[in-house]
């Protein structure tokens, strides 16, 4: 037997450890090696995809595609010998077709290698079948080696992402901008959740940073290179359809849900306590064994998405709370860690300075007033306040008079504005109105003249209730 083609086929395997080359590239090179066989005019490699549907991954010449795909629907056994699907002369102008099963191993793509001949006459067809069996083993080896190379590449990418996220700005912002003892167990819980792969419930008040912690857990985990999706359980209808997808019917195609779309990544379900009971039951099954079905379908599917859930301090509903492997992280409110307020304010003011070029700071009296405020909106309310002060504060030094009165204790609220301050506000109002009038109420031009951003001039228009004359008369 001429083994030169086998040598060239095995030479293709030397390229497989190079992770830049995929399986399809290796199979194309195999087809090029087979092109020199005297009895071959067409060949094809058919492998099953993730849904066990056969697809032609490489071909040479013009094989009978219909016959190939029909034959490939049968899964070959690991030790099944090559066989003759169509003998020479089986029909008018029909060439023979030989097939050998490709079996790379459990949980690997399987399929067939088809050829219409190899050695040609006068060599017996048994020689073709023996060589075809060797070539099918070479294809199986390519499938295995390419899969291993892809896994090594994925593992390397996850490792790089893991190390990069360890020094991420998000991690520093959450755990370096504060000194509260409550951050110590919180940091430990987040680190454990990142190293785990099970579901996590983040319990806390609105605005306390549950979403930030969820994204941080994703970034610190090996799933960091995968998708991070967010779903608000309180927004809109058809919650089950959006999470689990719908099956195909006569009048509409099937569609995946977020669990499938986020395959291998992390899905954050916000306000999970508001999920309908039937959805909680479905999620409970998914959390228990990773299986689910699309709405209206009976086929059981296996998902690989990790679930993170947010809920108020009272916790989740009984269906989800009973999940055996559910980890719970309790996120403290801002009023429980008042010692962190100065550092958080300084951090947010620094971010505003980098964005707007204006370095704001707080007087001791203003800082003390904010430390004693109970912050019902938590960190979100703090962020909104800083953004507001960046627009409304007349000086870079923020005093207690610049803080909204509703955030101050009764004794800290400033008296009625003095005449000079009222006059300054009247002057600013007139200045903004005059610039808008000169530029025909084109806000971008007026803002450029005043040295303001569009957001800042928009705030002043709302603040002073400014409107064009025709708007007022409408």
């Amino acid at each position: 037997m001429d083994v030169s083609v086998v040598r060239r086929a095995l030479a293709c395997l030397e390229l497989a450890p190079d992770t830049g080359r995929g399986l399809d590239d290796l199979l194309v090179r195999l087809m090029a090696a087979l092109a020199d066989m005297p009895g071959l005019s067409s060949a094809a490699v058919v492998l099953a995809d993730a849904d066990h549907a056969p697809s032609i991954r490489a071909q040479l010449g013009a094989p009978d595609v219909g016959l190939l795909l029909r034959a490939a629907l049968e899964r070959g056994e690991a030790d099944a010998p090559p066989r003759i699907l169509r003998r020479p002369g089986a029909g008018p102008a029909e060439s023979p077709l030989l097939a050998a099963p490709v079996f790379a191993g459990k949980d690997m793509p399987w399929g067939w290698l088809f050829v219409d001949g190899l050695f040609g006459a006068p060599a017996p067809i048994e020689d073709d079948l023996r060589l075809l069996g060797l070539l099918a083993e070479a294809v199986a080896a390519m499938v295995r080696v390419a899969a291993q190379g892809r896994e090594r590449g994925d593992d390397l990418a996850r490792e790089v992402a893991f190390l990069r996220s360890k020094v991420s700005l998000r991690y520093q912002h959450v755990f370096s901008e504060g000194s509260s003892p409550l951050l110590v167990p919180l940091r430990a819980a987040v680190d454990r959740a990142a190293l785990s792969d099970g579901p996590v419930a983040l319990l806390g008040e609105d605005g306390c940073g549950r979403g930030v912690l969820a994204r941080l857990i994703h970034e610190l985990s090996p799933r960091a290179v995968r998708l991070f999706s967010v779903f608000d359980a309180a927004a809109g209808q058809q919650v089950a359809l959006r999470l689990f997808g719908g099956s195909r019917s006569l009048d509409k195609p099937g569609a995946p849900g977020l669990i499938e779309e986020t395959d291998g990544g992390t899905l954050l379900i916000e306000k999970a306590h508001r999920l309908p009971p039937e959805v909680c039951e479905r999620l409970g099954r998914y959390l228990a064994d990773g299986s689910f079905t699309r709405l209206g379908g009976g086929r059981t599917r296996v998902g690989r998405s990790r679930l993170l859930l947010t809920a108020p301090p009272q916790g989740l509903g009984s269906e989800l709370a009973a999940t055996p492997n559910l980890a719970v992280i309790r996120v403290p409110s801002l009023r429980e860690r008042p010692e962190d307020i100065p550092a958080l304010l300084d951090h947010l003011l620094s971010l505003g300075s980098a964005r707007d070029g204006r370095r704001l700071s707080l007087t001791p009296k203003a800082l003390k007033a904010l430390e004693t405020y109970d912050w019902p909106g938590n960190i979100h309310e703090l962020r909104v306040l800083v953004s507001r002060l960046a627009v409304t504060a007349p000086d870079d030094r923020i005093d207690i008079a610049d803080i909204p009165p509703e955030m101050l204790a009764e004794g800290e609220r400033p008296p009625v504005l003095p005449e000079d301050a009222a006059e300054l506000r009247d002057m600013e109002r007139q200045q903004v109105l005059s610039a808008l009038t000169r530029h025909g109420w084109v806000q971008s031009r007026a803002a450029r003249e005043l040295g303001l951003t569009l957001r800042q001039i928009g705030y002043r228009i709302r603040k002073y209730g400014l409107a064009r004359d025709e708007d007022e008369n409408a």
Side-chain angles (χ1 to χ4, degrees):
M1 179 188 298
D2 183 2
V3 295
S4 61
V5 173
V6 179
R7 291 197 189 98
R8 292 181 61 187
L10 294 177
C12 297
L13 291 173
E14 297 177 2
L15 299 171
D18 177 4
T19 56
R21 298 185 184 275
L23 176 61
D24 291 331
D25 188 20
L26 298 177
L27 295 177
V28 168
R29 292 172 180 271
L30 173 64
M31 293 292 108
L34 293 179
D36 293 336
M37 293 301 298
L40 184 142
S41 61
S42 66
V45 175
V46 179
L47 297 176
D49 60 18
D51 292 327
H52 305 296
S55 63
I56 298 176
R57 299 293 294 269
Q59 72 178 63
L60 180 66
D64 186 339
V65 175
L67 179 59
L68 297 187
L69 295 180
R70 285 196 301 274
L73 290 174
E74 177 187 349
R75 179 167 184 164
E77 299 298 331
D79 55 353
R83 65 184 185 179
I84 303 171
L85 291 181
R86 186 171 61 197
R87 290 187 175 274
E94 285 188 344
S95 60
L97 184 62
L98 312 180
V102 174
F103 188 81
K106 187 179 180 182
D107 298 326
M108 289 281 188
W110 53 270
W112 295 86
L113 172 60
F114 298 99
V115 298
D116 60 357
L118 289 170
F119 292 108
I125 200 168
E126 288 75 14
D127 288 352
D128 286 356
L129 292 174
R130 281 194 292 270
L131 178 56
L132 183 62
L134 294 175
L135 294 173
E137 292 179 13
V139 173
M142 291 178 189
V143 172
R144 285 192 296 269
V145 175
Q148 291 166 2
R150 185 171 60 252
E151 288 176 3
R152 283 195 298 270
D154 291 345
D155 289 343
L156 180 61
R158 293 188 185 101
E159 182 73 12
V160 170
F162 179 76
L163 295 174
R164 186 187 301 121
S165 62
K166 273 295 187 181
V167 292
S168 70
L169 291 177
R170 197 188 310 276
Y171 194 87
Q172 296 177 30
H173 164 56
V174 173
F175 295 120
S176 298
E177 306 295 340
S179 57
S180 170
L182 295 177
L183 290 183
V184 177
L186 182 62
R187 180 189 294 126
V190 167
D191 288 340
R192 285 194 303 272
L195 295 175
S196 169
D197 207 33
V200 179
L202 296 146
L203 308 184
E205 299 177 2
D206 288 344
C208 67
R210 295 168 300 180
V212 174
L213 289 176
R215 186 174 288 274
L216 183 58
I217 290 171
H218 171 75
E219 290 179 353
L220 294 177
S221 75
R223 296 175 179 261
V225 295
R226 303 283 186 173
L227 189 64
F228 180 83
S229 303
V230 180
F231 175 72
D232 187 349
Q237 304 294 322
Q238 298 183 320
V239 174
L241 181 65
R242 190 70 190 96
L243 288 174
F244 298 100
S247 62
R248 183 172 54 188
S249 63
L250 292 176
D251 59 341
K252 60 182 178 180
L258 281 171
I259 289 179
E260 289 180 80
E261 292 176 355
T262 317
D263 183 48
T266 303
L267 172 59
L268 170 63
I269 302 179
E270 296 183 325
K271 303 181 180 69
H273 62 291
R274 298 183 63 177
L275 289 169
E278 64 274 12
V279 176
C280 290
E281 185 178 349
R282 281 176 169 266
L283 278 179
R285 287 197 299 269
Y286 175 75
L287 293 175
D289 59 14
S291 66
F292 69 97
T293 58
R294 290 182 179 179
L295 263 68
R299 174 186 165 189
T300 299
R301 301 169 184 265
V302 177
R304 300 188 302 164
S305 298
R306 183 188 192 183
L307 296 190
L308 304 181
L309 315 169
T310 69
Q314 294 80 4
L316 297 165
S318 57
E319 299 90 345
L320 293 178
T323 303
N325 58 341
L326 179 69
V328 176
I329 298 178
R330 299 192 178 276
V331 185
S333 64
L334 191 54
R335 66 178 170 276
E336 294 178 272
R337 37 186 287 227
E339 59 269 41
D340 290 343
I341 292 175
L344 287 169
L345 281 168
D346 185 67
H347 174 74
L348 293 173
L349 290 171
S350 298
L351 291 179
S353 173
R355 183 178 58 250
D356 303 328
R358 186 183 182 192
R359 185 63 173 102
L360 298 176
S361 61
L362 293 158
T363 63
K365 192 173 183 180
L367 178 59
K368 182 179 179 181
L370 294 177
E371 285 181 300
T372 57
Y373 179 58
D374 61 358
W375 297 103
N378 292 291
I379 298 175
H380 175 72
E381 186 180 9
L382 189 70
R383 188 178 292 110
V384 170
L385 172 67
V386 171
S387 299
R388 177 179 177 181
L389 291 174
V391 176
T392 61
D395 300 314
D396 291 347
R397 188 75 165 163
I398 298 172
D399 203 354
I400 197 166
D402 303 312
I403 298 174
E406 64 270 14
M407 303 182 73
L408 301 175
E410 191 66 35
E412 295 173 334
R413 295 178 183 177
V416 178
L417 288 172
E419 291 185 5
D420 56 349
E423 290 176 1
L424 284 174
R425 295 201 175 196
D426 289 340
M427 290 174 58
E428 183 184 49
R429 181 184 186 281
Q430 187 57 45
Q431 187 181 35
V432 173
L433 180 60
S434 299
L436 288 167
T437 303
R438 280 193 298 272
H439 293 285
W441 276 80
V442 178
Q443 294 184 26
S444 59
R445 295 177 182 174
R448 192 178 303 114
E449 176 186 320
L450 297 172
L452 300 173
T453 65
L454 276 174
R455 186 168 62 88
Q456 290 170 335
I457 196 171
Y459 174 80
R460 283 162 172 76
I461 291 172
R462 295 190 299 272
K463 174 182 176 181
Y464 295 122
L466 302 179
R468 303 179 69 168
D469 292 339
E470 54 265 34
D471 294 338
E472 292 178 347
N473 296 328

